[in-house]
Amino acid sequence: MALWGGRFKEKASIQFKKFNDSLPVDYRMAVQDIVGSIAWAGALNGVGVLSDDELASLESALLELKASVEENPRQILASDAEDIHSWVEIQLIEKTGDLGKKLHTGRSRNDQVATDLKLWCKEKGGDLLFALVTLQEALMKLAEREAGTVLPGYTHLQRAQPVTFAHWCLAYVEMFNRDIGRLKDALYRADTSPLGSGALAGTAYPIDREQLAQNLGFRKATLNSLDAVSDRDHVIELLSAASVSMMHLSRFAEDLIFYNSGEAGFVEMSDLVSSGSSLMPQKKNPDACELIRGKAGRVFGSLTGMLTTMKALALAYNKDMQEDKEGLFDALDTWQECMEMATLVVDGLKVNSARTLAAAQQGYANATELADYLVSKDIPFREAHHIVGEVVLAAIDKGCPLEDLTLTQLQAFSDKIEQDVYQHLSIESTLDKREALGGTSRSQVQKALAQIQEGQADILNEQVVGAPGKQQVKTALKQVQQRLNAQKAAAMSVRRARMSDVDKIHQLVDFWADKGEILPRTRQNIIHDVQNFVVAEMDGVVVGCASLYIYEPGLAEIRSVVIDEQYHSQGQGQALTQYLLEFAHGMELETIIVLTYIPQYFEKLGFITIEKSSLADNIIEDSEPSPHKNPVDEVAMAYQVNRSSK
């Protein structure tokens, strides 16, 4: 059954139908299409197109369909429907008769598909963030395990200066952190709802699109209907973020392929991520890393294809845009799979520290240290550089490292060289001198990792730049761990609350209010304030909530942070708070306050204690003390949004 046949005298050819239909690809958006349809039904009810009874019947049928699809999404592929929107509408009509035909009132497949795709991207984005953070954590554990391992550093694939293996790990932690930033930025811009934009000119019904956007979990509605239905920037941005990250993953894979080679022998990959040769029984191939490296081109191709598809499209919607999903789905699936495989590679990696140390001692990696030594003896660096070059040539001729040359042999090149030179030529000295910001000092890496294990979390400056050192590696590692904790919380499934969440929010608030942990709120109050709530989900079940109450343009309060008892200590509370703080930053709020009996919890999130008396009277009045708690124990705390987010 086609949704557009009235104007046509003949049926489309089977060949055209196969060419035109997108169901084999867009069936993955079935749940998003159903969720969007439920929200649209509510909007039509709000403007009198659907009665309350009709709304209830449609919602019931759609929820039943959603449950069926979640249980078996591939059932959709047995249909000959044109696309997922047609399939959902056909199923709805079968369940509700002519009532199902009313749902498309005021809506176009153009704004429908744009909404579905953005909803899908938001959900997939959460999975991708979690995969990135998990990979970072695996690298942190490897850095901890190999904190004392010396590794030759390379430029031009020539041995340059020694670093620590932990320093190599943290280089990729930094790369993947930038990937997290790009992904979050893309998801933020994608978080606008096109629903209600119609085919291109907007809907003729007085729909409250901002409320509709909030009900769907978007931060706001789009502002221009032409742009809303033809915009695929979010697809391009996600493909771009995926491509940059896959480039990082490919570099990571290439490093390990080289380190794993027989010529280097620095690492051995786990049997879990390796394969053998059908002919040569001695072979153990790094296939996981080679496939990660190879799949980068596949993701790059999806980005190039999408840019080419969009480059000359006139406003508004064109059928060319149907090509947006296949490449996107494949690229993001590939990116996620590669991150998960990279995590498995890191978890099982064995490092041959004796081999890495021997390699670091070869290749005259301490030549720079000899030049620096001569500089300390008042020889200009350029002259010192030339002298050391001659020393290296002599050492090559003798087939020995610099430190094996006798003092007499060294003094033949400069009479400034004395017995103390040898203490500057050791690997330990080479490493320990790298104390500038971003350096690779081995002892300080060990101290930093020990501090992370002890759970110390100082508030640190976010700027970590520079080359391999002592105090700075300690600082960098603490920064990375703190950042990982926050990002893992942010990667959990947190979203804006919807009307369908009201009863669960009320249940959670009621439970903890009865225990005296928070103030009670009526169901009616939660309904009225639902747009200010966010919820945390696990496996599709709401397990926590929190709200942001705005007092004035620069001031808001976080309230009602509660988690279901059986889900405690899993990070949802932190995730909810982090989400609200990021939302506050986007809203250009300045100060966020909390009134709490557990100040130590909010201290970890960057809040500082303030005088309760400094708060305005209306704030104090709004938060009357709990009858189960001593008012003296309630602490006022504040978080400076702009300062903390720089």
Side-chain angles (χ1 to χ4, degrees):
M1 171 185 166
L3 303 181
W4 43 265
R7 182 247 185 269
F8 291 78
K9 294 180 179 179
E10 296 183 68
K11 290 178 64 175
S13 71
I14 294 174
Q15 185 179 357
F16 171 75
K17 180 171 171 52
K18 183 178 178 182
F19 187 66
N20 180 65
D21 291 358
S22 60
L23 189 67
V25 174
D26 63 24
Y27 82 95
R28 291 182 61 171
M29 301 191 305
V31 170
Q32 288 76 26
D33 196 79
I34 294 167
V35 167
S37 294
I38 292 172
W40 187 248
L44 291 178
N45 172 253
V47 296
V49 173
L50 295 175
S51 69
D52 291 348
D53 288 343
E54 288 176 323
L55 173 63
S57 296
L58 286 173
E59 285 182 340
S60 176
L62 286 165
L63 288 171
E64 182 183 326
L65 185 58
K66 178 173 175 283
S68 174
V69 165
E70 287 172 336
E71 183 178 344
N72 178 22
R74 297 191 70 84
Q75 65 176 287
I76 301 167
L77 297 177
S79 167
D80 67 345
E82 180 181 343
D83 53 32
I84 190 58
H85 325 298
S86 307
W87 185 86
V88 170
E89 187 165 337
I90 291 166
Q91 299 302 309
L92 188 62
I93 291 170
E94 286 183 2
K95 289 177 180 292
T96 64
D98 286 345
L99 175 58
K101 299 176 181 178
K102 294 181 70 173
L103 182 59
H104 206 58
T105 305
R107 182 175 65 167
S108 165
R109 281 191 296 179
N110 294 357
D111 62 344
Q112 195 174 352
V113 68
T115 304
D116 291 358
L117 189 55
K118 282 190 172 182
L119 287 171
W120 185 90
C121 287
K122 286 176 63 178
E123 183 175 337
K124 185 69 171 180
D127 296 337
L128 294 166
L129 282 171
F130 197 83
L132 275 166
V133 173
T134 302
L135 176 54
Q136 284 185 307
E137 287 189 324
L139 284 163
M140 286 293 293
K141 289 176 183 175
L142 181 59
E144 178 183 347
R145 197 176 79 220
E146 302 296 337
T149 299
V150 179
L151 179 75
Y154 292 84
T155 60
H156 309 280
L157 264 184
Q158 305 294 311
R159 289 177 188 148
Q161 291 176 292
V163 295
T164 61
F165 203 91
H167 198 65
W168 176 85
C169 293
L170 292 181
Y172 284 101
V173 169
E174 287 301 309
M175 290 188 208
F176 296 134
N177 195 65
R178 294 194 294 273
D179 295 339
I180 287 172
R182 273 182 283 270
L183 177 56
K184 290 173 72 175
D185 286 347
L187 291 171
Y188 178 81
R189 280 186 289 277
D191 198 14
T192 57
S193 172
L195 196 54
S197 297
L200 76 163
T203 182
Y205 294 85
I207 302 292
D208 184 344
R209 291 191 60 235
E210 287 294 351
Q211 185 62 55
L212 179 59
Q214 289 181 8
N215 290 345
L216 279 168
F218 288 101
R219 62 184 174 88
K220 66 176 185 177
T222 54
L223 298 179
N224 183 284
S225 59
L226 276 173
D227 177 58
V229 299
S230 61
D231 168 37
R232 292 298 184 270
D233 284 4
H234 51 290
V235 174
I236 293 169
E237 284 196 77
L238 287 171
L239 287 171
S240 175
S243 295
V244 173
S245 187
M246 284 299 298
M247 176 267 292
H248 291 153
L249 283 163
S250 184
R251 295 182 72 184
F252 160 86
E254 173 63 17
D255 269 353
L256 288 182
I257 290 166
F258 168 60
Y259 293 167
N260 184 74
S261 67
E263 284 68 25
F266 297 163
V267 302
E268 181 183 351
M269 295 189 191
S270 162
D271 290 353
L272 299 177
V273 295
S274 305
S275 72
S277 164
S278 61
L279 176 65
M280 297 167 284
Q282 81 280 12
K283 293 290 293 300
K284 184 177 179 182
N285 300 325
D287 283 8
C289 285
E290 291 175 359
L291 283 168
I292 289 171
R293 187 177 59 184
K295 288 176 184 289
R298 179 170 166 174
V299 175
F300 298 171
S302 294
L303 172 61
T304 303
M306 192 61 202
L307 285 167
T308 306
T309 295
M310 294 297 297
K311 74 175 183 65
L313 291 188
L315 291 175
Y317 181 82
N318 296 270
K319 193 70 170 184
D320 313 46
M321 292 162 66
Q322 184 168 289
E323 292 297 303
D324 57 359
K325 287 172 281 298
E326 190 167 7
L328 176 70
F329 292 169
D330 181 73
L332 298 192
D333 286 347
T334 300
W335 181 21
Q336 183 176 345
E337 185 179 21
C338 286
M339 287 189 284
E340 291 167 351
M341 186 53 58
T343 301
L344 194 60
V345 168
V346 171
D347 285 342
L349 201 66
K350 293 179 183 177
V351 181
N352 186 340
S353 57
R355 191 78 177 259
T356 60
L357 176 60
Q361 290 172 324
Q362 299 167 10
Y364 306 101
N366 51 359
T368 305
E369 310 315 313
L370 180 55
D372 288 341
Y373 170 82
L374 291 173
V375 168
S376 73
K377 301 291 185 178
D378 295 326
I379 295 177
F381 179 77
R382 282 295 162 214
E383 184 179 340
H385 188 282
H386 181 76
I387 291 169
V388 174
E390 293 179 329
V391 174
V392 170
L393 277 176
I396 291 172
D397 286 342
K398 295 179 183 297
C400 68
L402 296 182
E403 59 267 31
D404 284 358
L405 292 172
T406 67
L407 183 60
T408 301
Q409 288 170 328
L410 289 171
Q411 287 177 334
F413 298 95
S414 173
D415 58 7
K416 296 290 184 75
I417 299 176
E418 300 174 3
Q419 186 66 40
D420 63 346
V421 70
Y422 292 104
Q423 70 189 48
H424 294 274
L425 297 181
S426 69
I427 286 288
E428 288 74 17
S429 173
T430 302
L431 289 172
D432 287 343
K433 284 181 178 178
R434 269 38 193 188
E435 296 181 357
L437 187 62
T440 187
S441 164
R442 182 170 56 184
S443 63
Q444 294 306 318
V445 168
Q446 291 170 333
K447 288 180 182 179
L449 287 169
Q451 288 194 346
I452 292 170
Q453 288 173 339
E454 294 165 7
Q456 296 182 356
D458 298 338
I459 298 175
L460 300 167
N461 184 343
E462 278 285 328
Q463 301 302 315
V464 183
V465 295
K470 246 179 184 176
Q471 181 64 30
Q472 306 312 329
V473 170
K474 166 182 163 183
T475 299
L477 280 168
K478 285 160 69 178
Q479 288 175 321
V480 168
Q481 188 63 31
Q482 187 182 41
R483 191 170 61 203
L484 285 178
N485 290 339
Q487 287 168 346
K488 188 162 188 178
M492 291 182 180
S493 184
V494 176
R495 59 170 173 80
R496 299 287 297 277
R498 307 167 187 147
M499 292 303 294
S500 56
D501 300 320
V502 166
D503 288 335
K504 184 60 179 179
I505 294 172
H506 185 232
Q507 177 189 335
L508 287 167
V509 170
D510 241 17
F511 178 85
W512 291 108
D514 286 346
K515 289 183 175 292
E517 298 297 329
I518 60 170
L519 294 176
R521 303 183 73 158
T522 66
R523 185 176 185 277
Q524 195 59 36
N525 175 264
I526 292 170
I527 291 173
H528 183 266
D529 204 29
V530 71
Q531 70 273 14
N532 297 324
F533 271 89
V534 294
V535 296
E537 284 185 321
M538 286 192 73
D539 299 323
V541 176
V542 172
V543 300
C545 66
S547 69
L548 186 72
Y549 184 85
I550 299 176
Y551 283 102
E552 55 187 60
L555 178 66
E557 178 185 359
I558 289 180
R559 299 176 171 180
S560 304
V561 184
V562 290
I563 305 296
D564 191 308
E565 262 191 321
Q566 59 184 311
Y567 293 97
H568 273 199
S569 303
Q570 296 186 37
Q572 280 83 5
Q574 182 179 354
L576 287 163
T577 306
Q578 182 75 20
Y579 186 101
L580 288 176
L581 292 176
E582 291 190 11
F583 178 71
H585 175 60
M587 289 279 289
E588 298 182 350
L589 292 166
E590 297 171 4
T591 304
I592 307 299
I593 60 168
V594 292
L595 292 162
T596 179
Y597 294 100
I598 48 170
Q600 63 277 9
Y601 176 82
F602 287 96
E603 279 176 7
K604 294 176 183 177
L605 298 174
F607 285 79
I608 59 171
T609 302
I610 60 173
E611 288 293 331
K612 196 172 175 181
S613 58
S614 67
L615 300 176
D617 291 342
N618 64 317
I619 297 176
I620 302 298
E621 289 167 5
D622 276 354
S623 74
E624 56 189 68
S626 167
H628 304 276
K629 301 282 187 180
N630 186 339
V632 177
D633 295 333
E634 187 179 57
V635 177
M637 306 186 78
Y639 179 99
Q640 299 303 318
V641 176
N642 292 333
R643 185 181 68 194
S644 302
S645 59
K646 287 180 181 177

